[in-house]
Amino acid sequence: MEMFQYDFIQRAFIAGAAISLITPILGLFLILRRQSLMADTLSHISLAGVALGTFLGIVPTYTTLVVVIIGAILIEYLRQIYRDFSDVSVAIMMASGMAVALILMSLNTNAGSFQIDQYLFGSIILISTEEVNMLIGLALILIVLYTIFRKPLYVMSFDEASAKTAGLPVRFITIAFSIVTGVTISIMMPIVGALLVSALIVIPSATAIKISKSFTQTILFGVIINIIGIFGGLSASYQFDTPPGASITIGFVIIFIIVSIATALKHRMNR
């Protein structure tokens, strides 16, 4: 196709394929643990990392990784303090992340501050070869970690108390999972934007849950839905000159609506 003659399009599609292997795993566990807003919170924190990078005049990817790791640890710390009100930690960190980002943006007088808009709304032009390689590496690492920790994560998702009783390192696994989620979000932001990155993680997994009968099947369907949504969104973005992040998100929403209608019709027919 004509669009594949451009290097940035090729990088975007390769990045999309890597993302398709990552987000179904993260999205499923976030939904099962009732932490769907965690992705949104970490995206706000990641935005603070981008603002810090442009303020200091260094590559935003590196500062974002550092900030998001610190943020993930703080979220888990606050979650332990407000054990009965776990959503408090999410609200505090989401507000703090956006506040820090806005303050750093206002203090930044460099021309590079324009990059904040690109990270906020997403742009495939920002995808570099280094970031694509990081996504591929992250996908491989996450698949290996999922293979090793699948059963502990499954137990923790439904009953954290039982997981602790069984001797599982619940806090370590939780912090590690939050850090991996945050790192993934920080790398994904250039292609979808901070405002839509949570949709990329949550919507495909929520759609896959509707049509799956097992844990593994949900992830496999999630991968397929991600590939269709991301590739379709990127193609539509190129053809109609629309924002790539928004185009991908609309694609996921359309798939979700179609699956929801088909599922409802199937249940009605079975009755």
Side-chain angles (χ1 to χ4, degrees), residues 72-226:
I73 295 173
L74 287 175
I75 288 174
E76 178 58 22
Y77 174 73
L78 291 172
R79 198 172 74 89
Q80 293 299 319
I81 294 178
Y82 298 99
R83 196 178 295 270
D84 297 327
F85 308 96
S86 58
D87 57 333
V88 170
S89 63
V90 173
I92 291 174
M93 293 305 298
M94 183 183 295
S96 300
M98 182 56 72
V100 171
L102 291 174
I103 290 174
L104 289 175
M105 287 168 61
S106 67
L107 294 176
N108 189 3
T109 57
N110 298 326
S113 62
F114 176 73
Q115 287 185 342
I116 291 295
D117 291 335
Q118 294 174 316
Y119 276 90
L120 192 63
F121 300 106
S123 173
I124 54 176
I125 299 176
L126 286 177
I127 296 292
S128 64
T129 301
E130 181 183 18
E131 289 169 332
V132 171
N133 292 334
M134 289 175 67
L135 270 176
I136 294 173
L138 186 60
L140 295 175
I141 291 172
L142 191 61
I143 290 172
V144 172
L145 291 176
Y146 169 73
T147 304
I148 297 173
F149 295 104
R150 179 173 63 88
K151 290 184 178 180
L153 281 170
Y154 182 80
V155 174
M156 286 174 52
S157 297
F158 289 100
D159 193 344
E160 195 169 296
S162 297
K164 289 182 180 179
T165 304
L168 294 175
V170 174
R171 179 171 294 186
F172 171 77
I173 294 176
T174 300
I175 292 176
F177 179 76
S178 297
I179 290 175
V180 171
T181 303
V183 170
T184 303
I185 288 172
S186 66
I187 300 174
M188 284 166 48
M189 277 201 304
I191 193 171
V192 291
L195 295 179
L196 299 173
V197 70
S198 62
L200 191 63
I201 293 177
V202 175
I203 297 178
S205 296
T207 306
I209 289 174
K210 285 181 166 291
I211 55 178
S212 303
K213 297 181 180 179
S214 68
F215 198 75
T216 302
Q217 197 177 78
T218 303
I219 293 178
L220 292 176
F221 278 129
V223 171
I224 295 172
I225 292 170
N226 266 278

Side-chain angles (χ1 to χ4, degrees), residues 8-19:
F8 69 90
I9 291 289
Q10 296 175 16
R11 290 196 297 268
F13 272 83
I14 295 173
I19 290 172

Side-chain angles (χ1 to χ4, degrees), residues 203-257:
I203 297 178
S205 296
T207 306
I209 289 174
K210 285 181 166 291
I211 55 178
S212 303
K213 297 181 180 179
S214 68
F215 198 75
T216 302
Q217 197 177 78
T218 303
I219 293 178
L220 292 176
F221 278 129
V223 171
I224 295 172
I225 292 170
N226 266 278
I227 290 175
I228 295 173
I230 293 176
F231 286 14
L234 288 174
S235 299
S237 174
Y238 177 82
Q239 294 295 330
F240 302 106
D241 195 24
T242 55
S247 301
I248 292 170
T249 302
I250 290 297
F252 284 142
V253 171
I254 292 173
I255 295 172
F256 178 80
I257 292 173

Side-chain angles (χ1 to χ4, degrees), residues 46 48-55 57-67 112 115-116 119 131 186 189:
S46 297
V50 174
L52 178 62
T54 56
F55 178 74
I58 59 180
V59 179
T61 301
Y62 302 130
T63 54
T64 302
L65 291 175
V66 173
V67 169
Q115 287 185 342
I116 291 295
Y119 276 90
E131 289 169 332
S186 66
M189 277 201 304

Side-chain angles (χ1 to χ4, degrees), residues 16-57:
I19 290 172
S20 298
L21 298 175
I22 297 171
T23 54
I25 298 174
L26 298 179
L28 176 59
F29 283 112
L30 286 173
I31 291 172
L32 291 179
R33 301 187 67 193
R34 295 175 176 82
Q35 291 183 319
S36 298
L37 287 177
M38 173 73 77
D40 207 22
T41 301
L42 289 173
S43 69
H44 283 69
I45 295 173
S46 297
L47 193 61
V50 174
L52 178 62
T54 56
F55 178 74
L56 297 177

